[in-house]
Amino acid sequence: MDINNLCLGALCLNDASGYEIKKMFEDSFSHFQAVSFGSIYPALARLSEQGLVSFREETQEKRPTKKVFSITPEGRQHFFDNLVATEPAEQYRSDFMVLMMFAHLLPAERLEQVLQSQSKHVEAELEILTGISSQCCELTPGMRFTLEYGIAANTAVLELLKQRHRPLLKEIEQHKQQGNKR
Amino acid sequence: MDINNLCLGALCLNDASGYEIKKMFEDSFSHFQAVSFGSIYPALARLSEQGLVSFREETQEKRPTKKVFSITPEGRQHFFDNLVATEPAEQYRSDFMVLMMFAHLLPAERLEQVLQSQSKHVEAELEILTGISSQCCELTPGMRFTLEYGIAANTAVLELLKQRHRPLLKEIEQHKQQGNKR
DNA sequence: ACATACATGTAAATAGTTACATGATTTC
DNA sequence: GAAATCATGTAACTATTTACATGTATGT
């Protein structure tokens, strides 16, 4: 799903400025989609040209004037058509996994750091997800499901990380010594 | 981790041609790193220029001649330095999650398809991972860990998908009707 | 005084993918 | 006769990020 449709999706939920869309993404979508100002603003300009969104300028006291975008009926239809045609593809890119593939080349202290850092990262993710889940009551069932999904995956890998942390370090040290002997 | 270092990593495990590196990636790394011929061949050319890999041409009967690359001691050092400095970052991009965020906009049949397709996808992934795990005995402990990690995550979400599939469809239909009444 | 939050936007750089070009051999 | 596997490589395209440019207000 590209940035244009992601912006339309965000505007389906609420009217918002480019800046606010970025925040919406950081809060709700950041776990599975990335966006930056450099892609949001050009996308909103394109969508506006195509008549898929409209905007009004809102002057604020003590804050810069902002452009608040609304999705138009055509925009809604466009988003809907695209959504229905979107295949549920996924991709997971992980340098952590690459590091583990080559764990036998890493110094023991570095490996220790890597595992610790990964655990912290997964724990933090888990806290954010459970936080949203408990704080927000106005979520759609689908949104609630995305949270459950993230919690399930992260809980499982966190348990694995805790269980296997120490044994793994030992196994890898043993493996290194076997390699040296031969 | 960029394509240059990924190629060095592959060549750390075995001498290989560009074509074979692609296959190695498809077999072992595809779950967490993507590569294509369009990036591998230029990368090998660059690495060769920099003296980080060397190659010999191997003529084969009934097969095209291939360039078999080997990592040089400098290449090994370069890979090692980069590996130690690599932060264990991760990113997960998912159109499935986007679809679920907007599940209340999807027709019931399409939502059904999406959930089914996701389950199939996770099941397939799980089969591949358990297959590698049981067939290969010569894996390093780190490599074995990456398999365990993938299996843990996929098992957890598959269970969730199975458990929540039917109830979720109902909840979303209810939510749609509530929205219409208001 | 410095960082962060608010707010919009552009341009260069990056890093890849997709498609193309070429061609033998084997399997269905 | 078509599709898949083996094999290398280039070039155009795409989509994005990063950095820059500009400015106010608030908190530390």
Side-chain angles (χ1 to χ4, degrees):
Chain A
M1 177 142 304
D2 69 18
I3 189 67
N4 297 296
N5 276 290
L6 248 20
C7 284
L8 286 178
L11 293 175
C12 256
L13 303 174
N14 257 317
D15 288 2
S17 65
Y19 193 86
E20 286 162 348
I21 289 174
K22 173 92 188 302
K23 275 201 297 179
M24 286 170 75
F25 277 116
E26 276 167 4
D27 293 346
S28 320
F29 296 83
S30 64
H31 310 284
F32 49 90
Q33 295 292 331
V35 286
S36 62
F37 287 128
S39 55
I40 289 175
Y41 286 117
L44 288 170
R46 278 192 299 272
L47 293 169
S48 196
E49 262 177 56
Q50 292 165 35
L52 302 176
V53 302
S54 62
F55 65 90
R56 56 181 187 278
E57 298 214 327
E58 262 184 29
T59 45
Q60 302 172 111
E61 277 174 53
K62 314 227 174 178
R63 287 262 169 271
T65 298
K66 63 179 175 180
K67 276 189 183 179
V68 178
F69 291 86
S70 300
I71 192 164
T72 62
E74 302 86 61
R76 226 177 211 103
Q77 186 62 44
H78 188 268
F79 178 62
F80 176 78
D81 293 344
N82 249 289
L83 195 68
V84 172
T86 295
E87 288 308 309
E90 296 198 287
Q91 61 169 59
Y92 170 64
R93 292 293 105 100
S94 172
D95 282 354
F96 169 69
M97 289 294 216
V98 175
L99 285 164
M100 294 316 292
M101 286 281 286
F102 296 100
H104 56 286
L105 300 180
L106 285 176
E109 318 84 62
R110 180 60 189 150
L111 181 57
E112 168 82 47
Q113 275 174 15
V114 165
L115 285 166
Q116 209 123 71
S117 147
Q118 180 69 5
S119 291
K120 284 244 172 76
H121 178 255
V122 175
E123 253 167 43
E125 193 83 354
L126 212 43
E127 259 172 59
I128 292 169
L129 294 173
T130 48
I132 301 173
S133 196
S134 61
Q135 279 162 34
C136 308
C137 357
E138 278 296 331
L139 297 170
T140 64
M143 291 175 191
R144 214 157 259 296
F145 180 76
T146 64
L147 294 172
E148 285 173 39
Y149 199 95
I151 290 168
N154 281 295
T155 302
V157 298
L158 185 60
E159 200 165 319
L160 183 76
L161 279 163
K162 278 185 180 166
Q163 262 182 32
R164 302 278 292 117
H165 181 96
R166 289 291 146 204
L168 185 63
L169 288 171
K170 239 183 218 169
E171 284 167 32
I172 287 170
E173 285 314 301
Q174 274 171 16
H175 183 269
K176 279 185 194 173
Q177 299 198 330
Q178 274 175 28
N180 289 343
K181 273 181 199 165
R182 261 185 285 160
Chain B
M1 178 144 302
D2 68 19
I3 189 68
N4 298 294
N5 276 290
L6 248 20
C7 285
L8 287 179
L11 293 174
C12 256
L13 303 174
N14 257 316
D15 287 2
S17 65
Y19 192 86
E20 287 162 348
I21 288 173
K22 173 94 187 302
K23 275 201 297 178
M24 286 170 75
F25 277 116
E26 276 166 4
D27 293 346
S28 322
F29 296 84
S30 64
H31 311 283
F32 49 88
Q33 294 292 330
V35 285
S36 62
F37 288 129
S39 55
I40 288 175
Y41 286 116
L44 288 170
R46 278 193 297 272
L47 292 169
S48 195
E49 261 177 57
Q50 293 164 35
L52 302 176
V53 303
S54 62
F55 66 90
R56 56 183 186 276
E57 297 214 329
E58 262 183 30
T59 45
Q60 303 172 111
E61 277 174 51
K62 314 229 174 177
R63 285 265 167 268
T65 298
K66 61 180 177 179
K67 275 189 184 177
V68 178
F69 290 86
S70 300
I71 192 164
T72 61
E74 301 86 61
R76 225 177 212 103
Q77 185 62 44
H78 188 268
F79 178 63
F80 175 77
D81 292 344
N82 248 290
L83 195 68
V84 173
T86 294
E87 289 306 311
E90 296 197 288
Q91 62 168 60
Y92 170 63
R93 294 291 107 100
S94 171
D95 281 355
F96 168 69
M97 288 295 216
V98 175
L99 285 164
M100 295 314 293
M101 285 281 287
F102 296 100
H104 56 287
L105 300 180
L106 286 176
E109 318 86 62
R110 180 62 189 148
L111 181 58
E112 170 81 48
Q113 275 175 17
V114 165
L115 284 166
Q116 210 122 71
S117 147
Q118 179 70 5
S119 290
K120 285 244 171 74
H121 177 254
V122 175
E123 254 167 43
E125 192 83 357
L126 212 43
E127 260 172 57
I128 292 169
L129 293 174
T130 48
I132 301 173
S133 196
S134 60
Q135 280 162 34
C136 309
C137 355
E138 279 295 330
L139 297 169
T140 64
M143 292 176 191
R144 214 156 259 297
F145 179 76
T146 64
L147 294 172
E148 286 173 38
Y149 199 95
I151 291 168
N154 281 296
T155 303
V157 299
L158 185 60
E159 201 166 318
L160 183 76
L161 279 163
K162 278 185 180 165
Q163 263 182 32
R164 302 279 292 119
H165 181 95
R166 290 291 146 203
L168 185 63
L169 288 171
K170 238 184 219 170
E171 284 166 33
I172 288 170
E173 286 313 302
Q174 275 173 14
H175 183 267
K176 279 185 193 172
Q177 298 198 330
Q178 274 175 26
N180 290 341
K181 275 181 197 166
R182 261 186 283 158

